[in-house]
Amino acid sequence: MEPAEKLLILGESAKYDVSCSSSGTDRAGIKGGIGSAAKAGICHTFTADGRCISLLKVLLTNNCIYDCAYCINRKSNDIKRAAFTPQELADITINFYKRNYIEGLFLSSGVVKNADFTMELMVRAVRILRQDHLFNGYIHIKAIPGASQEVLDEAGLLADRLSINMELPSDSGLKLLAPDKKMADITAPMGHIKEKIIESKADKFSRKSFAPAGQSTQLIVGATGDTDKQIISLSENMYTGMNLKRVYYSSYIHVNNDSRLPVPVNSPLLREHRLYQADWLLRFYKFKADELLDEEHPNFDTRFDPKAAWALRHMEQFPVEINTADYEKLLRVPGIGVRSAQRIIKARRACAIGVDDLKKLGIVMKRARFFITAKGKSAFEGRFSGRVISARLLDAPKQRYEQLSLFKPEAVLLPAPEDTLKSITGEL
Amino acid sequence: MQKSYVYDGTFEGYLTVLYDIFKSGDEPASICRTDTGSATLNLFSDERHTAAEEKKYMLMKKAIIEKISAETFENTVHAFLSEMPDIEMHIYRYINTGREKGNDVNKLLADDNVIPVLRAAQRVKHEGHRMLGFVRFADAGGIYYAKINPDANILPVIIPHFRTRFGSQKWIIHDVVRNLAAFYDGGKCAIKPVESLELNGAADDETKYADMWKAYFKAMEIKSRHNSKLQQQLIPKKYRGNITEFR
Ligand code: SF4
């Protein structure tokens, strides 16, 4: 089979993996070699569904000995199979890179024979890139559950980032849908990678750092009955316990007919979107999972983003005076993101800010105005009460979600473009 | 009486004019370029201006950096590259404000003397960052050639990135809007005006890799989530003529 045909098959099989980030490492070129890594991350193109392509995301092979219910590559599926040789994959990667199509490689694979055998093949491809081509660009390797420490150690020295996918948020989910995998096959390598990263950071003399862009994971949302609260608490644990850089959420996509799988729900993307918003709040806004959701509210409100929903439940903390509130407090105002909060702090050092100045500062007032005062003056006319404000919030943008029922029999709720952008930039 | 100033369209020329203006102490009536074409920034070129201009340029640059701040100089460069109408007068007012306020000028985010410059600089930085991803090279037999059509004159902004990234790989990035091209020979880089570029043609496997990339790009779409409006926001149509996968 020609490499071009393999690329199509193996790209197609990899595309449901959501993580595409190439950020986190900053590295100049090496002499005689090619490639650098940019801390900010660079999107090279966007697919017709609006997802960023940064890395060449591809499987080494879609052959697999396992039979995970949700996966298109499971062994019981009758699909076209292909496998790259390590050399073929390295050639395509380097040639795409030279043309600036991509920022690097994101390599994952179905399981051939066993975890270590598969990982060895992946490592070989990456070694050709690093050692033969002196390729210094970004590489993300997705480790196979159950991989041994030896092979992880090798992979970690070659890759910028390692990830091992959690896929399902609970043990019971794993048992039901991915019976070949055990939770320990995932958590043990995760823990090992964490230790190696800490070790390598502490060792000032080592020449090669271990997965300098850190470790990440992915969760499939909606394939099992887990609540948002369970998911977001799990994420919090992985951020604090495993030092993960990112948790990615992928709303379950129905590709197989299998009685163990749920019937697709109405708004999977909206749920995924809310989880990403909440994830930002955990990582950059100092929210705790149990502040965002509790037993009474185990799932996110479809109508409000998680921050607005939290604010509406905590009206006693508002309004916030923007000239005196500290940074943390500003960040908790719906509609004021990291950038806006920084801008406010910078600007008010020069002189006190009035309501009119806020727009000039580029602060989006649509939601913020209900929750702030500037020089003691409220930014909206109306009574300051939770009931009034939540009604006004709902009333403001009439067409918040587009109905794209053309493409699917069931209605799909899509976040408005402006809303989508927010989950990319994290300006909540 | 207020004077009108004319300069040659280069950044160096512009700073020379600014030097004269601040020396005179009078508010200028206007600042325009002689050419209607686009401004070039000669930071990367070997050409030098006349001694007198060079000196004034250096003095003005030093004054901005030392008396106001390096950030202000950076904003000045970026804003200038935006080629926005009247940007010369906007930058004049911005620097004038900076003379009074020092680096605090960059905090006056609600001041009309400052906003246009900060906005323009922001836009140029943003477009420059986007372009790092959107530039597409084709192997023209050992030299990698790319065409771009940016809104702003971003070549000087993106060059450093591609120099470190491609190391010894030679490339040319051709801004077809301004008829400027950056030539990188694996070591040095220069921006030069070009009318048209004759290249020896494509390497043997050029179409092979371009086709592979196009097919891969198409296959990566999740059809059930088609959203071309979002795609258009993220990768505007105006750039697509020079982006391999949209051709
Ligand atoms: S192990 Fe991976 S590739 Fe194989 S069936 Fe499970 S999810 Fe799919």
Side-chain angles (χ1 to χ4, degrees), chain A residues 59 62-68 70-75 109-111 145 167 178 181:
Chain A
L59 301 187
N62 64 347
N63 288 310
C64 193
I65 55 169
Y66 290 158
D67 206 36
C68 307
Y70 47 82
C71 176
I72 188 158
N73 302 317
R74 62 179 184 173
K75 76 168 176 226
S109 184
V111 186
E167 303 286 23
K181 293 181 191 160

Side-chain angles (χ1 to χ4, degrees), chain A residues 33-313:
Chain A
I34 181 169
S36 59
K39 192 151 190 112
I42 296 171
C43 281
H44 284 251
T45 191
F46 295 89
T47 53
D49 53 347
R51 287 177 314 141
C52 153
I53 297 186
S54 175
L55 305 173
L56 172 62
K57 198 185 294 182
V58 73
L59 301 187
L60 189 75
T61 175
N62 64 347
N63 288 310
C64 193
I65 55 169
Y66 290 158
D67 206 36
C68 307
Y70 47 82
C71 176
I72 188 158
N73 302 317
R74 62 179 184 173
K75 76 168 176 226
S76 58
N77 276 5
D78 180 22
I79 55 165
K80 250 196 185 164
R81 307 276 172 177
F84 276 126
T85 65
Q87 186 68 51
E88 284 171 340
L89 181 63
D91 285 347
I92 293 175
T93 308
I94 199 77
N95 273 292
F96 277 13
Y97 194 81
K98 284 182 168 179
R99 289 164 177 77
N100 205 40
Y101 296 165
I102 53 169
E103 201 55 20
L105 174 67
F106 179 176
L107 183 57
S108 142
S109 184
V111 186
V112 233
K113 285 198 184 136
N114 58 53
D116 274 11
F117 181 84
T118 313
M119 286 280 300
E120 291 286 355
L121 286 173
M122 297 164 85
V123 163
R124 211 179 302 159
V126 171
R127 207 185 290 123
I128 295 172
L129 280 170
R130 289 285 196 235
Q131 290 173 4
D132 297 357
H133 294 290
L134 296 178
F135 176 70
N136 197 31
Y138 193 92
I139 297 179
H140 178 162
I141 297 179
K142 198 154 100 181
I144 309 286
S148 70
Q149 300 198 348
E150 289 72 31
V151 77
L152 288 173
D153 290 352
E154 244 188 304
L157 287 176
L158 292 165
D160 289 274
R161 170 170 285 184
L162 286 181
S163 64
I164 181 152
N165 282 0
M166 202 81 168
E167 303 286 23
L168 299 170
S170 62
D171 210 14
S172 58
L174 217 50
K175 279 209 184 83
L176 178 69
L177 300 181
D180 307 305
K181 293 181 191 160
K182 289 191 289 294
M183 205 45 130
D185 292 340
I186 296 163
T187 49
M190 224 182 223
H192 180 68
I193 295 168
K194 172 196 163 189
E195 296 305 323
K196 291 298 281 189
I197 292 175
I198 294 175
E199 222 175 82
S200 132
K201 275 202 186 128
D203 181 3
K204 298 262 176 326
F205 299 104
S206 97
R207 272 189 304 143
K208 192 98 194 55
S209 49
F210 192 92
Q215 182 178 193
S216 63
T217 195
Q218 175 184 295
L219 291 170
I220 300 176
V221 175
T224 50
D226 307 276
T227 62
D228 290 347
K229 180 170 161 27
Q230 280 168 300
I231 293 168
I232 216 74
S233 306
L234 179 65
S235 299
E236 185 173 56
N237 281 336
M238 288 196 283
Y239 284 130
T240 53
M242 291 287 187
N243 296 355
L244 287 203
K245 269 274 155 63
R246 282 300 297 271
V247 176
Y248 292 92
Y249 308 89
S250 169
S251 66
Y252 162 68
I253 297 173
H254 196 69
V255 288
N256 297 330
N257 284 319
D258 189 308
S259 60
R260 289 169 292 173
L261 292 169
V263 191
V265 290
N266 269 345
S267 48
L269 280 186
L270 181 58
R271 184 175 182 201
E272 177 186 304
H273 177 65
R274 288 279 177 262
L275 286 165
Y276 272 114
Q277 291 180 318
D279 191 89
W280 279 97
L281 297 180
L282 292 183
R283 287 183 299 137
F284 297 113
Y285 292 73
K286 306 196 174 152
F287 276 91
K288 296 262 173 297
D290 59 12
E291 284 183 287
L292 295 173
L293 293 170
D294 50 40
E295 296 309 330
E296 261 171 75
H297 311 89
N299 289 304
F300 289 113
D301 198 316
T302 48
R303 300 162 306 159
F304 303 110
D305 70 65
K307 200 196 215 180
W310 171 85
L312 289 170
R313 291 201 305 271

